Amino acid sequence: MSESTRRDIWQAARELGYRTKAQAAGLSAEQIPWVGAGKPRRFATVMAGEGPFYSLQVEGLDRRLHELGHHLVSLVIPARLVGERDSQEWLERSGVLYMDGLFLSPALPYWTEAALLHLPLPKVMINYPPDAVEVDSVIWDVQHAVHLAVNLLVAYAHRHILFIGDIKAQRGFRLRWQSFQAACSRLGLPLQPNEHITDIAANRTESPGMLGARLRESDFTAIVCAVNEDVTWAMASLQAAGLSVPGDVSVIRMDSEVHPLYPDIARPVLLLKEAAERAAELMLRRIANPQLPFEHVRLAGSFLKGASVAAANGMT
């Protein structure tokens, strides 16, 4: 049969609850209950916004929970929540307190995330967890992705790589920067932190000519951009400076979403949907086995070279 027909049959079997002996044994080994083992449960995923980034997570959660016989409700945090009192009032009105378990997405406001983590409900974070917090978590591994990005650039003879991205707003952003520093150290690359653009204000407000001038006055031959907004600014700056990609400068982005203007820029494959599916399994495992130690799962994806990386200094 064709590959597309094979995928359709496999997906239909998953949705109808059919399992091979190996799949059933896997659920048993991980102590994950499904609909045949008890009553359907109702879970909520709490998100900071809407859009493709969150839709992939909802799709993964909803599909896996449905296969295992349970239901999912999606809740978006109102933008007006600005402190602990607002967060507590919203929690009481939203119905969160009556759920069987909660999934916490990335980028939640600090007070809201803290309030959710203190609720006496089973929780799984689809994010890197805060320090010293007892909670299960699943995340697409941006640390691994950064190391893959630097490895690729070094394979193309780049030794001076510029990092552009905010390192303060989110835990995942800080980990990108920390992993970039670790990768440079591992590979013996020169690194002066003050030469990199890690201030979000400077990143978005510098005139386009500033980046071009910085590149012409330095030895940088490649750029790693943390998110798509950084790519937009960097590409406009390179164009204004008359620098081509990848002829003059190689560019890699670390965002999960395809850039609408530059879809061919090299990037890691960040497993958003797969992380959500694994989060659903961890939730049911936690409910069935509350005594087990907490788990922090990182899903490592592959890397797409794209058309934005070339050899440094004309090397082949």
Side-chain angles (χ1 to χ4, degrees):
M1 67 183 71
S2 69
E3 186 60 32
S4 61
T5 300
R6 187 186 301 274
R7 286 197 301 268
D8 290 343
I9 293 173
W10 186 259
Q11 183 59 34
R14 287 185 63 176
E15 292 174 355
L16 292 171
Y18 288 96
R19 289 172 177 79
T20 65
K21 291 182 178 179
Q23 289 172 323
L27 287 173
S28 177
E30 290 212 56
Q31 303 176 63
I32 299 171
W34 63 294
V35 70
K39 67 175 183 178
R41 296 178 182 271
R42 190 164 177 257
F43 300 99
T45 176
V46 185
M47 303 177 294
E50 297 178 288
F53 173 77
Y54 295 105
S55 295
L56 285 173
Q57 296 169 58
V58 172
E59 182 181 346
L61 281 171
D62 189 55
R63 183 170 69 183
R64 193 67 178 120
L65 287 172
H66 177 74
E67 290 171 358
L68 295 168
H70 305 287
H71 307 289
L72 180 72
V73 176
S74 300
L75 300 174
V76 178
I77 300 291
R80 65 177 182 276
L81 301 187
V82 295
E84 185 174 9
R85 178 178 296 180
D86 287 347
S87 297
Q88 290 291 349
E89 292 177 354
W90 178 80
L91 289 176
E92 294 173 3
R93 295 193 308 270
S94 66
V96 163
L97 302 178
Y98 304 99
M99 297 293 171
D100 291 300
L102 302 177
F103 299 96
L104 310 186
S105 73
L108 290 172
Y110 171 78
W111 286 112
T112 305
E113 182 181 82
L116 289 167
L117 286 171
H118 280 92
L119 292 177
L121 293 171
K123 296 171 287 289
V124 176
M125 299 193 72
I126 307 178
N127 195 2
Y128 288 96
D131 293 335
V133 172
E134 294 184 333
V135 64
D136 294 301
S137 70
V138 185
I139 191 62
W140 44 94
D141 196 342
V142 296
Q143 294 171 289
H144 174 73
V146 169
H147 280 273
L148 291 182
V150 177
N151 284 353
L152 176 64
L153 291 172
V154 169
Y156 278 82
H158 294 278
R159 290 192 54 79
H160 294 82
I161 304 167
L162 177 66
F163 182 93
I164 300 178
D166 175 31
I167 63 173
K168 298 178 181 178
Q170 302 291 337
R171 288 187 293 277
F173 293 172
R174 292 193 292 274
L175 288 172
R176 283 171 168 84
W177 171 237
Q178 292 170 9
S179 298
F180 178 78
Q181 295 179 90
C184 290
S185 175
R186 173 174 58 85
L187 295 167
L189 304 183
L191 177 69
Q192 295 294 329
N194 60 353
E195 293 181 349
H196 297 264
I197 303 176
T198 56
D199 186 316
I200 192 65
N203 191 357
R204 306 285 168 76
T205 60
E206 278 191 4
S207 65
M210 294 294 289
L211 178 58
R214 181 177 299 208
L215 291 171
R216 292 188 184 282
E217 295 169 1
S218 68
D219 296 324
F220 291 121
T221 59
I223 300 173
V224 172
C225 294
V227 295
N228 277 346
E229 289 84 351
D230 302 320
V231 173
T232 301
W233 176 77
M235 294 296 284
S237 300
L238 293 174
Q239 184 177 7
L243 298 172
S244 66
V245 175
D248 297 311
V249 181
S250 291
V251 177
I252 290 178
R253 64 180 183 82
M254 304 307 301
D255 212 325
S256 58
E257 298 179 36
V258 174
H259 196 292
L261 299 178
Y262 310 106
D264 292 333
I265 290 181
R267 65 180 179 89
V269 177
L270 301 179
L271 304 175
L272 276 69
K273 188 187 300 185
E274 293 82 354
E277 291 191 13
R278 183 61 178 143
E281 295 171 354
L282 269 188
M283 174 65 76
L284 297 177
R285 183 174 184 269
R286 171 59 52 199
I287 290 174
N289 306 276
Q291 78 286 354
L292 291 179
F294 294 103
E295 292 190 17
H296 303 302
V297 178
R298 302 195 309 188
L299 302 186
S302 57
F303 202 91
L304 301 177
K305 179 178 176 294
S308 62
V309 175
N313 304 320
M315 299 179 63
T316 58

